[in-house]
Amino acid sequence: MKVHVNDEPVVSVICCTYNQDRYIKDALDGILGQEASFPFEVIVQDDASNDATEEILKYYQIKYPRILKVVFHSEN
C-alpha cells in the first residue's frame, strides 16, 4: 500500500458495522489492500457492537493511524 503521509485524502471510504467480528477483518483488509496513486482514508462507524468488533477496529486503528478513523457509538 502506498501511503501519502502529508496529503489530504482524495477519497473517503465509509464502512458502517454492527456485530461483524467474523467479517470486519476481511472487509478492512480488502479496502486497505487496494493500491492507489492518491491519498485515501477509511472511516468506520461501529454502532455499539457487543461482540469483538470494537477490539478488532481498535487494533486496525493502531495499525493504520493515518488512514483509518473509527467512530464508536455507545448506544445502538
Side-chain angles (χ1 to χ4, degrees), residues 8-41:
E8 290 294 319
V10 174
V11 171
S12 296
V13 178
I14 300 172
C15 175
C16 299
T17 187
Y18 174 72
N19 287 347
Q20 294 296 312
D21 63 351
R22 296 175 75 193
Y23 309 105
I24 194 66
K25 290 179 189 177
D26 288 340
L28 292 175
D29 288 341
I31 295 167
L32 294 166
Q34 299 299 310
E35 290 188 29
S37 61
F38 50 83
F40 66 96
E41 67 181 349

Side-chain angles (χ1 to χ4, degrees), residues 35-50:
E35 290 188 29
S37 61
F38 50 83
F40 66 96
E41 67 181 349
V42 179
I43 302 169
V44 180
Q45 173 191 318
D46 179 56
D47 199 13
S49 294
N50 54 24

